[in-house]
Amino acid sequence: MPSGAIAPAAPPVGAAGGQVTAKWVALRAALAKLAAKQPPRPVLVPTPAPIGPAAVVARHALARAHAAFFDACAAKWALRDNYRTQPGRFAQLRAAILRCREAQFTYQAAAAAFHASPAGAALQAARAKYPRF
């Protein structure tokens, strides 16, 4: 929306300079009339909701558990193509699988704690507004 104070344009240079200037003056006058009739609306900025320390702790725990779960799964899948004939290979695979399961259970517990927190409830309420396909 144009503002109420419109500065006059610099006079153009050329043969049709007078005509272009007259058109611009008429256009600016019309815009000034419209702007005077409809003053600009104030921009309302909503205040952000306060973030509770419990929500921050739950989000950080969820992020750490997710990172640990991702790393454990990556380590397990990295051993997938390891065809060494050394005796410790299966013990290494078993340990990687157990670490991945433990990280998965930790992630599930952190996700449950997050969804039980007020931040998780707000997330579920926001998700409920939009239909899933």
Side-chain angles (χ1 to χ4, degrees), residues 18-110:
Q19 294 173 354
V20 174
T21 304
K23 286 181 183 178
W24 279 107
V25 169
L27 179 63
R28 288 183 185 272
L31 288 175
K33 283 182 188 178
L34 288 174
K37 288 180 184 177
Q38 297 178 355
R41 295 180 185 171
V43 178
L44 299 176
V45 178
T47 57
I51 299 173
V56 172
V57 169
R59 282 183 194 271
H60 285 223
L62 183 62
R64 281 192 301 273
H66 185 265
F69 179 46
F70 182 83
D71 291 343
C73 286
K76 180 181 80 170
W77 286 107
L79 293 174
R80 178 178 58 176
D81 295 329
N82 186 1
Y83 295 111
R84 294 181 298 135
T85 57
Q86 295 174 352
R89 176 173 171 250
F90 289 109
Q92 202 174 28
L93 284 170
R94 190 178 309 112
I97 291 169
L98 291 176
R99 278 193 302 271
C100 186
R101 286 183 186 166
E102 182 181 339
Q104 183 180 11
F105 294 141
T106 305
Y107 176 68
Q108 287 174 350

